Amino acid sequence: MKKYDNIWLPKCSTNIDSSAFGNIKIEGNSKIINTIKQEILGTFDEIFAPLTESYSLTFMLTEQSNLSDEGYQIKETAGQLQIYAKTDKGLLYGLYHLYRLVKQNENLTRIDLCENPVNQIRMMDNWDNMDASDPMGSIERGYAGDSIFFEHSRFIEDKRRVRDYARLLASVGINATTLNNRNVLDSESFLITDRFLADVKEVADIFADYGIKTYVSADFAAPITVGKMDSADPLDESVQTWWADTVKHVYEVIPDFGGFLVKADSEGRPGPMTYGRTIVDGANMMARALQPYGGILFWLCFVYRTQGDWKNRKLDRAKDAYEFFKPFDGQFEYNVILQAKNGPMDFQPREPVSPLFGGLTDCNIVPELQITQEYTGHQIHLNYLVPQWKEFLEFDTFAKGAESTVKKIVDGSLFHRPLSGIVGISNIGNDTNWCGHKLAQANLYGFCRLAWNPELSAEKIAREWTVNTFGNEVQVINVISEMLLTSYETYENYTAPLGIGWMIDVETHYRCDIDSHEYGPWGTAHYAERDGLGCYRTRDESSMVEQYAHENAEKFNDLATCPDELLLFFHHVPYGHVLHSGKTVIQHIYDTHFAGVEQVKKNIENWKLLKDFISPVDFQNVADRLQQQVEAAEDWRDIMNAYFYRKSGVADENGRKIY
Ligand code: GCV
């Protein structure tokens, strides 16, 4: 097994001396309680030995009504430090909070805090493949090495790293995970059969030790690929029986199994539409098979027409998901959760919120946010995405009048949904520092902290992660948090402008390649031509704006009110169009592209200030990545500026070098 750094947590040794408990009392008896005991013993020297010099410590189960099932209270009186919770899981979360307090040097005397998670399902999806192109277990859009679950088309024997991942996720409140890529190919189809169920159980048991439920991505066509039937038609009784029997067996082996994630009728994946059936026919059929066991079906809304027509302005990929799903609102089984990307397209650096949020009012829907940096710099570029996610969560859908924010859909309160929550696409792999770029760990941490409490600010999360990871040195905290907090804007500056996206190479989604999505069979992405650029999504064009509630439709439709950062997502404008900022579009493109590169150069200088405070390995890791980032940013700047200068014929007001 590759060696690796621990991240924001104290190291947990397995060479433990059980006599060390001393005056720490722990109520209860369960697998999770054992995890707590192991944590206490494993981190004794760093955390508990100093703590028990001042306090006696008790982990107590309670019936307190101010606590939810996963909540906890940490309270100190007269030298007694107590962690109360209704459940063992709450105690575990309380323990991890205690770590944070210790790392942040908080004074624990007379402390009295109470925490309940705001969101119900806090899920991490993994895009790990068993084989595909890489025998070591590749990760689709993964930028931090190979899979920690799979190699050579089977499970990795040594599960220590899976355990550490479970620990990491639980330490920031994650309570569900999907093991494998939603693009279910070959071997992965058999995860729900005896070929792999014993392994799935072993992994699920590890996650369960940390209060995390395990799901797998299932192939809608499994009755054919696995069951050797000639159809996967959801209305075919033998197909329904096949799923019922298969699910029954899964639960016989893994009684606390979570359920399935399904990507159907999307990007070449089969689905009910293959058989002329509806989304509801397909989803409900699988959901019913899960119902006797309390299982949940996550069904992806990432369904779009893959063929565009640049001449037909009514055809618009951004409209597709809403058009496919809205007609079925209210018809899904109670245990179906629709899972939709934050934006209507595909994890671009800047998109408006998907109109499915607020548009679907009568079914369970959760957003998925991409922690792995597919279109946002591949964990080579520093890009702390928490500010993007905060904007998403704060967006007012106006679905039930003002204050109908996305975060109220995520916590289930807006439409009083029985099932609700949020999903992140993981950014870890088997790299020594888990995320490729050491500072990309802040995104993993940040997603999970927001999933627990969306009110936390991007700044608070950045500082908290920095202290937990690098310690309390003020200069380190200031430099790293400043680098993190400006990095999203920096990346946006030197890549595609004003919300348009897609000016990136079509295969890897990394390099600047302005036209690679423009002239393919999918249709058009940016419509850049001699006189202007931008999409045609207003009321009189593709009419995508109409999918939003009236207030937002009006705002986006009108040039006078459409926010600058989304202008080109909705409008085609001349290069001379003046933004609310007072700049013309063309000057904005030049200025942001020059500024973005300068911001990365500044980070390179700032990082050097930390040489004496950061371990040599981490220091070099970030320094190397910043160097790669600046080179890529210079490419983006030069290609973008040259392209738009030549298209528009308008010179830079400041006479800078444009090729
Ligand atoms: C896992 C995008 C990505 C794919 C990804 C897909 C999805 O299209 O490029 O790699 O597949 O989204 O979310 O299913």
Side-chain angles (χ1 to χ4, degrees):
M1 191 176 73
K2 258 193 189 177
K3 278 184 63 176
Y4 57 88
D5 308 347
N6 235 337
I7 56 176
W8 52 77
L9 286 167
K11 278 211 167 19
C12 189
S13 155
T14 44
N15 296 327
I16 46 185
D17 166 10
S18 55
S19 65
F21 268 118
N23 53 354
I24 304 175
K25 292 194 188 57
I26 306 158
E27 273 190 359
N29 189 7
S30 70
K31 284 167 61 150
I32 294 180
I33 296 292
N34 284 344
T35 305
I36 295 175
K37 290 181 178 164
Q38 199 182 328
E39 283 284 345
I40 293 173
L41 295 172
T43 62
F44 199 81
D45 291 346
E46 184 178 342
I47 305 287
F48 291 94
L51 267 186
T52 47
E53 275 172 22
S54 314
Y55 309 104
S56 65
L57 210 83
T58 320
F59 288 79
M60 284 173 84
L61 293 167
T62 167
E63 284 305 316
Q64 266 171 242
S65 58
N66 58 341
L67 293 177
S68 70
D69 279 354
E70 295 179 307
Y72 54 85
Q73 183 177 17
I74 301 180
K75 188 170 179 170
E76 194 278 342
T77 24
Q80 307 255 349
L81 186 56
Q82 274 145 342
I83 300 184
Y84 298 102
K86 273 191 172 150
T87 63
D88 49 3
K89 216 190 213 191
L91 291 179
L92 182 69
Y93 293 146
L95 167 82
Y96 289 129
H97 194 131
L98 187 63
Y99 286 170
R100 290 199 286 274
L101 295 171
V102 171
K103 290 232 179 199
Q104 313 277 324
N105 271 341
E106 295 281 345
N107 182 0
L108 299 180
T109 302
R110 281 194 289 281
I111 196 163
D112 188 359
L113 64 84
C114 185
E115 285 261 341
N116 291 305
V118 175
N119 300 315
Q120 183 193 5
I121 298 174
R122 306 176 299 278
M123 187 160 199
M124 191 61 65
D125 275 7
N126 300 287
W127 284 3
D128 293 36
N129 300 313
M130 297 192 86
D131 44 7
S133 51
D134 180 351
M136 296 314 290
S138 61
I139 302 175
E140 182 152 352
R141 311 301 180 188
Y143 311 106
D146 295 315
S147 174
I148 64 164
F149 298 114
F150 311 122
E151 66 183 4
H152 303 300
S153 300
R154 17 179 16 99
F155 278 76
I156 293 175
E157 203 111 311
D158 184 342
K159 306 278 191 315
R160 277 176 296 173
R161 186 131 179 181
V162 173
R163 181 166 290 280
D164 288 338
Y165 185 40
R167 177 177 186 244
L168 272 181
L169 296 180
S171 76
V172 270
I174 290 297
N175 63 7
T177 189
T178 307
L179 290 188
N180 60 306
N181 189 356
R182 74 253 323 248
N183 294 322
V184 183
L185 306 167
D186 311 325
S187 311
E188 297 114 44
S189 313
F190 292 86
L191 284 170
I192 54 176
T193 71
D194 279 335
R195 192 189 295 179
F196 292 123
L197 270 179
D199 294 289
V200 177
K201 177 175 167 48
E202 197 185 340
V203 169
D205 282 348
I206 294 172
F207 278 116
D209 286 348
Y210 291 84
I212 299 171
K213 251 195 194 307
T214 296
Y215 292 70
V216 301
S217 296
D219 178 10
F220 187 81
I224 301 173
T225 51
V226 175
K228 303 281 173 250
M229 297 170 66
D230 50 17
S231 166
D233 181 349
L235 298 193
D236 180 332
E237 272 182 30
S238 55
V239 169
Q240 295 166 5
T241 307
W242 187 88
W243 276 111
D245 292 346
T246 302
V247 170
K248 179 167 182 267
H249 185 56
V250 170
Y251 277 90
E252 274 160 9
V253 179
I254 315 170
D256 58 350
F257 183 68
F260 299 139
L261 167 68
V262 177
K263 173 172 173 177
D265 294 310
S266 169
E267 300 192 322
R269 307 306 307 144
M273 293 189 224
T274 317
Y275 300 93
R277 310 301 184 192
T278 67
I279 289 169
V280 164
D281 293 333
N284 285 356
M285 180 271 296
M286 290 187 72
R288 284 184 201 117
L290 288 159
Q291 282 172 358
Y293 318 97
I296 293 176
L297 180 77
F298 288 83
W299 188 273
L300 285 173
C301 297
F302 190 52
V303 182
Y304 63 96
R305 297 176 182 88
T306 46
Q307 296 291 307
D309 176 0
W310 60 276
K311 297 179 289 315
N312 181 353
R313 299 262 159 87
K314 291 283 171 203
L315 261 190
D316 180 359
R317 171 173 164 184
K319 287 181 1 189
D320 286 354
Y322 185 93
E323 286 184 348
F324 279 116
F325 283 85
K326 179 66 186 168
F328 301 113
D329 195 10
Q331 296 179 39
F332 291 97
E333 288 286 346
Y334 66 85
N335 61 330
V336 173
I337 301 182
L338 299 180
Q339 183 169 320
K341 299 192 182 200
N342 56 301
M345 299 298 273
D346 189 7
F347 297 138
Q348 298 304 295
R350 174 78 67 174
E351 290 185 44
V353 167
S354 164
L356 288 170
F357 298 106
L360 298 185
T361 60
D362 201 12
C363 59
N364 306 314
I365 178 166
V366 296
E368 55 175 18
L369 301 175
Q370 200 183 38
I371 311 169
T372 191
Q373 291 174 233
E374 176 181 354
Y375 291 95
T376 50
H378 286 200
Q379 280 137 245
I380 294 170
H381 298 225
L382 177 64
N383 196 343
Y384 175 63
L385 292 164
V386 174
Q388 185 204 55
W389 302 333
K390 288 286 294 181
E391 278 181 31
F392 167 73
L393 291 164
E394 294 297 338
F395 178 75
D396 196 342
T397 67
F398 287 97
K400 287 172 81 178
E403 307 286 312
S404 301
T405 49
V406 170
K407 67 185 176 195
K408 290 187 183 162
I409 298 173
V410 174
D411 71 20
S413 63
L414 189 65
F415 301 122
H416 309 292
R417 298 309 312 171
L419 293 173
S420 59
I422 189 162
V423 180
I425 313 299
S426 183
N427 66 346
I428 68 109
N430 71 352
D431 267 6
T432 44
N433 67 16
W434 292 91
C435 296
H437 194 313
K438 180 81 180 185
L439 303 189
Q441 292 173 3
N443 279 335
L444 183 65
Y445 185 88
F447 167 82
C448 302
R449 294 289 285 135
L450 277 186
W452 179 276
N453 180 6
E455 301 304 329
L456 295 171
S457 72
E459 184 176 3
K460 153 113 180 112
I461 295 173
R463 295 180 89 82
E464 194 181 278
W465 174 79
T466 305
V467 173
N468 293 351
T469 309
F470 294 108
N472 274 298
E473 181 65 43
V474 175
Q475 193 180 8
V476 174
I477 304 170
N478 288 342
V479 168
I480 295 184
S481 2
E482 153 107 14
M483 284 171 70
L484 290 173
L485 288 163
T486 52
S487 59
Y488 172 54
E489 185 189 320
T490 298
Y491 185 81
E492 190 176 21
N493 276 346
Y494 60 76
T495 53
L498 302 167
I500 199 158
W502 299 111
M503 294 179 175
I504 202 157
D505 77 279
V506 75
E507 288 300 327
T508 70
H509 303 167
Y510 180 71
R511 284 177 303 105
C512 178
D513 190 346
I514 301 173
D515 283 336
S516 71
H517 286 88
E518 192 62 7
Y519 297 111
W522 299 277
T524 38
H526 57 64
Y527 294 93
E529 29 90 27
R530 195 193 57 181
D531 297 321
L533 82 160
C535 299
Y536 295 90
R537 298 199 161 110
T538 63
R539 199 159 278 148
D540 301 328
E541 297 158 349
S542 89
S543 76
M544 189 257 170
V545 289
E546 298 283 23
Q547 294 181 339
Y548 292 94
H550 177 72
E551 291 82 345
N552 286 324
E554 287 297 310
K555 179 165 97 183
F556 294 143
N557 192 60
D558 189 345
L559 267 180
T561 48
C562 185
D564 282 350
E565 68 275 10
L566 290 173
L567 178 74
L568 302 179
F569 185 90
F570 291 108
H571 295 269
H572 190 88
V573 296
Y575 292 108
H577 172 82
V578 179
L579 299 167
H580 301 302
S581 70
K583 287 187 183 176
T584 60
V585 166
I586 190 71
Q587 195 56 41
H588 173 93
I589 293 177
Y590 297 148
D591 288 350
T592 49
H593 284 78
F594 283 112
V597 172
E598 292 316 306
Q599 285 162 316
V600 183
K601 287 185 177 161
K602 186 171 151 216
N603 280 345
I604 292 178
E605 291 315 308
N606 284 342
W607 185 249
K608 287 182 188 155
L609 301 173
L610 304 188
K611 195 166 180 19
D612 295 338
F613 303 104
I614 305 278
S615 79
V617 171
D618 287 341
F619 182 80
Q620 204 50 47
N621 166 265
V622 175
D624 289 347
R625 303 238 158 187
L626 286 171
Q627 188 53 37
Q628 289 183 65
Q629 182 180 5
V630 81
E631 286 161 19
E634 282 170 346
D635 267 1
W636 272 93
R637 176 197 63 195
D638 293 342
I639 297 168
M640 292 286 292
N641 284 345
Y643 180 98
F644 285 105
Y645 175 42
R646 293 177 200 187
K647 277 254 147 91
S648 69
V650 181
D652 171 31
E653 278 171 6
N654 299 317
R656 289 162 291 193
K657 181 154 187 83
I658 298 180
Y659 297 99

